[in-house]
Amino acid sequence: MQVTAAVVPAQGAPFEIEEIELDELRHNEVRVRMVATGICHTDALVRDAIYPTPLPAVLGHEGAGIVEAIGDSVTSVQPGDHVVLAAAYCGHCKRCRQGQMAYCENLFAADFGGRRNDGTTAFSKDGKPISSHFFGQSSFATHTNVVEESVIKVDADLPLEHLGPLGCGLNTGAGTVLNELQPEIGSSLVVFGTGAVGDAAVMAAKVADCAIIVAVDIHDSRLELARELGATHTINSLTENVGERLSEITNGAGVDYVVDTTGRPELLRQAADSLGVRGTVALVGAAKPGTEATFEVGASLVKGWTFKTVVQGSSVPQVFIPQLIQLWREGRFPMEKLMRDYSLADINKGFADSASGETIKPVIVF
């Protein structure tokens, strides 16, 4: 089957719109006609070969679409179903068996390997393989073959055009707060970086009834939106002293929780220094392998603080994404305020606008 896709031909190269071949479904796969897909920072990391998916590749991992066909072992969806696509997981390792799919022991093979377990790829051109199954889906294509583990059925009355980002960015930010940190009512929470992941964390902190929700960024426009989404305070780290402001906001007690979406070592240090007793820093931002951060371990010992990394919001996608949709229906998770639509032909502009901060969450609408 011939499909149109955005292909990364080589390291750091722009996406190229090409006609390529999609192969036959395997027994555990679902063919999805894509309606829309979000653009995520992780796609850029792979485009630039910071993460190890072989190139050329069809990326994209925040897809939403309509099922056209299913493999003979698929039971969770039928042709015609509307679906959101999330990260893949193996389903049989110890972590998956314990319901910790985000920490699948075979995560890199399932999400970044670019191949099925048998070494085949869903996409090819002129007989040459193109890496596929990125996060189980490779959604930068008009049609794609998706592993069943990546598929979440949703109601047909929902706007598929803006559901895709639930599959990664929004799931990560909101899940880090609601699934992993589980802040107490009346607690304080700080978010470093108000992109899509950070804004999802802000909205989730409001859902959790945090009393103090602080958004930290370098773009005033993003900080204004964060206030609209639930932040009680904002800090522009270019013009204000973050440590002093956080001490002022918490009356010197320090903050209870920090979500860092940036992966920048200097901000992680600020996050740790800002904690109160028994505080927690959750790192969700992807950084280049080899990046290191340092923390003061002398006086901080008596705080009993915690540093943890969080993947995919510690979510079970088939459980948590419907919960986020319910919050959206109730008006408590207005995710559409983060999004701007682009055509597939304008995918490189979407990436550029995301990198510059002009657009929080670019969405490719087919």
Side-chain angles (χ1 to χ4, degrees):
M1 175 181 180
Q2 192 170 65
V3 303
T4 304
V7 179
V8 179
Q11 178 179 352
F15 289 84
E16 296 179 358
I17 308 303
E18 300 187 33
E19 298 298 313
I20 62 176
E21 290 297 321
L22 176 65
D23 72 355
E24 295 300 316
L25 281 174
R26 300 302 192 264
H27 68 91
N28 64 329
E29 292 177 356
V30 177
R31 178 162 296 156
V32 178
R33 175 176 65 81
M34 301 307 305
V35 171
T37 181
I39 289 175
C40 179
H41 180 57
T42 304
D43 296 308
L45 292 176
V46 174
R47 176 198 62 191
D48 299 336
I50 294 172
Y51 278 12
T53 298
L55 302 178
V58 177
L59 305 179
H61 62 285
E62 293 185 339
I66 299 172
V67 175
E68 289 198 339
I70 60 174
D72 57 21
S73 72
V74 172
T75 60
S76 61
V77 293
Q78 295 292 328
D81 285 345
H82 290 210
V83 294
V84 172
L85 309 181
Y89 50 87
C90 75
H92 56 74
C93 71
K94 179 179 179 181
R95 294 299 172 187
C96 285
R97 295 295 190 186
Q98 292 176 338
Q100 299 174 358
M101 286 74 173
Y103 304 97
C104 172
E105 295 168 12
N106 300 301
L107 180 145
F108 265 92
D111 289 340
F112 295 94
R115 300 288 190 275
R116 298 184 176 99
N117 290 335
D118 64 3
T120 61
T121 65
F123 294 116
S124 64
K125 184 172 184 179
D126 299 329
K128 297 179 180 179
I130 297 173
S131 287
S132 62
H133 281 77
F134 185 60
F135 280 61
Q137 54 184 280
S138 288
S139 56
F140 289 161
T142 55
H143 296 75
T144 186
N145 293 338
V146 183
V147 295
E148 186 176 14
E149 288 81 7
S150 290
V151 174
I152 301 97
K153 182 181 175 181
V154 299
D155 293 339
D157 66 330
L158 292 166
L160 279 176
E161 293 81 4
H162 290 152
L163 292 187
L166 289 171
C168 182
L170 304 186
N171 169 43
T172 296
T176 297
V177 175
L178 298 176
N179 296 329
E180 184 67 36
L181 296 179
Q182 299 181 15
E184 302 84 3
I185 294 173
S187 58
S188 57
L189 186 144
V190 180
V191 178
F192 281 81
T194 55
V197 176
D199 281 339
V202 168
M203 290 187 282
K206 184 177 180 181
V207 168
D209 282 332
C210 292
I212 295 174
I213 306 170
V214 186
V216 182
D217 205 297
I218 61 174
H219 299 286
D220 286 333
S221 60
R222 290 193 172 199
L223 293 173
E224 290 171 9
L225 178 58
R227 276 199 178 268
E228 183 180 339
L229 296 174
T232 60
H233 302 78
T234 59
I235 301 173
N236 187 317
S237 57
L238 285 181
T239 60
E240 301 175 85
N241 184 298
V242 175
E244 290 180 0
R245 285 284 288 122
L246 289 176
S247 179
E248 174 189 327
I249 291 167
T250 61
N251 293 319
V255 300
D256 298 315
Y257 302 98
V258 177
V259 177
D260 179 67
T261 73
T262 71
R264 297 177 64 91
E266 70 276 14
L267 294 182
L268 280 172
R269 175 59 187 267
Q270 286 184 332
D273 290 347
S274 72
L275 291 175
V277 174
R278 303 298 288 170
T280 300
V281 174
L283 170 63
V284 303
K288 183 178 181 179
T291 301
E292 297 183 356
T294 59
F295 303 110
E296 198 277 327
V297 296
S300 73
L301 176 65
V302 297
K303 286 185 178 180
W305 68 287
T306 299
F307 172 79
K308 60 173 63 181
T309 58
V310 182
V311 178
Q312 289 288 323
S314 297
S315 301
V316 178
Q318 286 76 9
V319 174
F320 190 59
I321 288 176
Q323 292 173 346
L324 291 180
I325 290 173
Q326 180 60 32
L327 289 172
W328 174 81
R329 285 189 184 275
E330 295 172 0
R332 302 168 69 193
F333 197 78
M335 57 190 178
E336 70 280 358
K337 293 183 179 181
L338 312 180
M339 303 179 195
R340 179 184 295 176
D341 295 348
Y342 296 78
S343 68
L344 184 62
D346 287 332
I347 188 170
N348 290 307
K349 178 172 172 51
F351 273 89
D353 289 352
S354 177
S356 71
E358 181 175 336
T359 300
I360 293 177
K361 174 52 69 173
V363 176
I364 302 298
V365 178
F366 291 89

